[in-house]
Amino acid sequence: QVQLVESGGGLVQAGGSLRLSCAASGRTFSSYPMGWFRQAPGKEREFVAAISRNPSNTNYADSVKGRFTISRDNAKNTVYLQMNSLKPEDTAVYYCASRNSGTFYYLAYNEGDYNYWGQGTQVTVSS
């Protein structure tokens, strides 16, 4: 059974940084694309970042480009989201997700592209 467990969320002041982690178990982690999404109160869940099986291939939502970095450590079965220059509008529950299939360079951007989800971790940015 596939399990994704996020950690690293918390309360931070605007301009600060956090690093989220997503530990995967139950599958060959390195074989699948991964992504991060977030959901703010009263809003729909939205795409944040994606990484392909090739860890050098990544993409980001325009709202976080230049501030967030997604990476993966296949030896540790973990994907990370480094978040810098945080803004109050980044406040949300952050979810990691994994897809069942994909080519070496495939990036998935939509919720429906992913098969497994973590439980989420809360990030709150105060002004």
Side-chain angles (χ1 to χ4, degrees):
Q1 185 175 352
V2 176
Q3 280 195 320
L4 302 175
V5 180
E6 302 98 334
S7 61
L11 174 64
V12 64
Q13 288 189 333
S17 298
L18 283 174
R19 187 176 81 156
L20 305 183
S21 299
C22 173
S25 62
R27 66 195 313 215
T28 306
F29 175 78
S30 61
S31 299
Y32 302 101
M34 302 287 293
W36 285 96
F37 288 73
R38 67 186 181 185
Q39 187 168 21
K43 295 187 177 181
E44 293 186 352
R45 189 153 56 182
E46 64 176 4
F47 167 77
V48 175
I51 187 166
S52 71
R53 290 167 55 192
N54 176 358
S56 298
N57 196 28
T58 60
N59 209 343
Y60 302 88
D62 288 342
S63 59
V64 306
K65 202 169 291 185
R67 299 187 298 122
F68 290 11
T69 302
I70 187 172
S71 61
R72 65 192 301 161
D73 184 336
N74 290 336
K76 295 183 178 179
N77 281 359
T78 302
V79 64
Y80 303 98
L81 186 68
Q82 177 67 44
M83 306 186 296
N84 298 329
S85 302
L86 282 161
K87 305 174 181 180
E89 51 263 44
D90 294 318
T91 294
V93 177
Y94 283 72
Y95 300 89
C96 74
S98 177
R99 178 179 163 85
N100 262 341
S101 62
T103 62
F104 194 57
Y105 295 97
Y106 180 84
L107 292 169
Y109 301 98
N110 301 306
E111 284 191 66
D113 294 334
Y114 289 92
N115 305 101
Y116 303 101
W117 293 83
Q119 83 290 347
T121 185
Q122 176 70 47
V123 171
T124 303
V125 185
S126 63
S127 56

